Amino acid sequence: MPALQEVMRQRELTPDDVLAAAKTYVPTGKHDEAIIFASGGHSGQMFMIGVPSMRLLRTIAVFTPEPWQGWGYGVGNEILEAGNAKDQELTWADTHHPALSETGGDYDGEWCFINDKANARVAVIDLRDFETKQIIKNPISMSDHGGTFVTPDTDYVIEGGQYATPLGWEYAPMQDYEEKYRGMVTFWKFDRDRGRIDPDQSFAIELPPYWQDLMDAGKKASAGWLFGNSINTEMAVGTLEEGGQSFEAGVSQRDMDYLHVMNMAKIIELYKAGKHEPINGFPVIRLQTLIDEGVLFFVGEPKSPHGVDITPDGKFIVVSGKLDPHVTIYGFENIQKAIADKKFTSNDQYGVPVLDFDACKVAQVEVGLGPLHTQFDDKGYAYTSLFLEPAVARWTLGGDFGDLNPEPDWTLVGKTNVHYNVGHLLTYGGDTVNPKGKFLVAMNKWSIDRFFPTGPLLPQNFQLIDITETGETMPLLYDMPIGFGEPHYAQMIEASKLKPWKVYPEVGWNPHKQAVDPNHTKSGKERIERKGDEVHVHMTVVRSHFAPEHIEVNQGDTVVWHVTSVERAQDATHGLAIPAYNMNLSIEPGEYVQIRFVADKAGTFPFYCSEFCSALHLEMMGYLRVKPAAVAQSQ
Ligand code: K7E
Ligand code: CUA
């Protein structure tokens, strides 16, 4: 093709460049085959990204007010408020780990959960309308990290802690660290019918004040168990100010920390049997109970561990130590046998039995420098991110994987260099029982040289890698800058598994209840009603007008504004921007939204539609007139 040759020459593209472009380019009108749900890091949101195009499709507002969606500006305010900590309004989050809901250990495309490390919160997102439905503040912890991860049928959403505090986070001096500070895991019961976490069926367990880190729920062979790792089994308290060690040094002294092995099925039974006590009104199973009941075990894990990932068959647990060039693979059967045979080398200082490392370990693979996280594919390969190299290592799982790997062995196959400081990586379904392979995304923290420099603050870089071929070949296809916070983890699901609504199912739909709201306004029934000092505005919106258009209230009235979109056309979204009252709504086709505010500012406020919805969109407006209290009283 002469034209193609000419463009290649002009743009100095190699045949490999053009091949990579051809693998990722999605022509206009065609859709991506897979969707990434990525943590938004400090943005407090989630991002939906199409694969292989790496096009950003949408931000999902979660923990942070987001004006386009009206989130926190009239929509979802009460959901955000439910996440307040000690009555402090929180307007950001450090999101780390999104978790798509699973059925039988595979993504089912119905729900997504995500944690806020900074404040120990968990959010629930409905994948029919991609809106956040619930935010829960952990009642006993101020810090989380080992979450969110779901059990294979999403019965529970796991939220593991990170930095130990006294449970309930009351004050305690550092001298009391070993006695008063504690770690935790919280088991949030998910009620799929209601689409909400049910706090009344949820509970936590008390753990030693090690810094619990990532967690993964067992699946298939290991279903009913939970695995989590930890750092700071040294219980360093940071003595830099007294001439001692920083946390950095103190926390990484030991060669081994503890993989936490938890018999989750039995732990749930203990909760149901009432073997818990309330802390801050939340049921907590005490550490001593876990020890007495034989449901918590430790195994050594080398060296400053971070990632813990369970193989698709559930038989092996892969742990990466940041300061150890190996991944360590533990066998679930080996662990069970060690427990049954009481192969304990010691107890930790709180009395938790420590299993014999060699009895539990099945292999170690030298993958390279700074291993962090591992994902899997459909060919019997595992992929581990190497923060320090930086690279992604491909290695074979020992076990029966048919023709590809007739003599299964735990062996390094090859590496692909990625850009600086890769953290998590993800493959297609790569943490499920049914990984697909095909694509891998390296989530790199640094992007030096890759994009036009955006001042001293640079974006993150998601690199798309083709993993369809076997062996060493894993070509890099695409760099995607992420310019809004540091995403940590993401999951990739087939687009066909998602069943998003195109418009809300019926006019007057309340997305919070996922049902028609009895307060919605029907066309022709628009009205303004006064009930004492409450003024109820029953409004409809349709291209291109509000009805009613004039709203006059007295200063000090409470305005309850019911807005119903009677649109049925896809994408015919309207906005409602109300100046001075800091309000903006996104009213999607069929949606009902209710806002409530005290009209405490007298004046004339032109409200308008903030979505360019039609040719006469600029004319879609009205006046809110707030009569000064003095004038209103004199009449
Ligand atoms: Cu490794 Cu929060 Cu999962 Cu960052 S965590 S990379
Ligand atoms: Cu409705 Cu613009």
Side-chain angles (χ1 to χ4, degrees), residues 357-371:
F357 175 69
D358 291 316
C360 299
K361 177 193 79 177
V362 297
Q364 287 187 300
V365 181
E366 187 168 344
V367 287
L369 299 179

Side-chain angles (χ1 to χ4, degrees), residues 574 609 611-613 617 620:
H574 297 283
C609 172
E611 286 276 328
F612 209 114
C613 53
H617 147 82
M620 187 167 178

Side-chain angles (χ1 to χ4, degrees), residues 361-411:
K361 177 193 79 177
V362 297
Q364 287 187 300
V365 181
E366 187 168 344
V367 287
L369 299 179
L372 293 187
H373 299 287
T374 298
Q375 294 262 296
F376 305 95
D377 72 4
D378 53 348
K379 303 188 195 76
Y381 289 134
Y383 301 84
T384 300
S385 54
L386 303 172
F387 183 83
L388 295 174
E389 295 212 4
V392 170
R394 175 187 251 176
W395 47 280
T396 49
L397 296 178
D400 183 8
F401 292 98
D403 296 343
L404 176 84
N405 205 3
E407 283 179 54
D409 199 3
W410 306 90
T411 315

Side-chain angles (χ1 to χ4, degrees), residues 102 149-153 156 158 187 214-220 222-228 262 264 308-311 314 317 431:
E102 296 180 4
F149 299 97
V150 297
T151 53
D153 288 311
Y156 286 91
I158 310 291
F187 298 78
L214 291 184
M215 306 257 150
D216 202 0
K219 51 193 161 197
K220 287 195 162 170
S222 53
W225 289 70
L226 177 68
F227 305 89
M262 294 162 271
M264 185 169 45
V308 53
D309 297 283
I310 297 170
T311 53
I317 300 113
D431 58 3

Side-chain angles (χ1 to χ4, degrees), residues 541-546 567 572-576 587 608-621:
V541 295
V542 73
R543 279 161 290 168
S544 308
H545 63 272
F546 296 100
E567 295 279 2
T573 297
H574 297 283
L576 171 54
I587 314 143
Y608 70 97
C609 172
S610 51
E611 286 276 328
F612 209 114
C613 53
S614 72
L616 297 180
H617 147 82
L618 294 179
E619 290 77 355
M620 187 167 178
M621 65 83 66

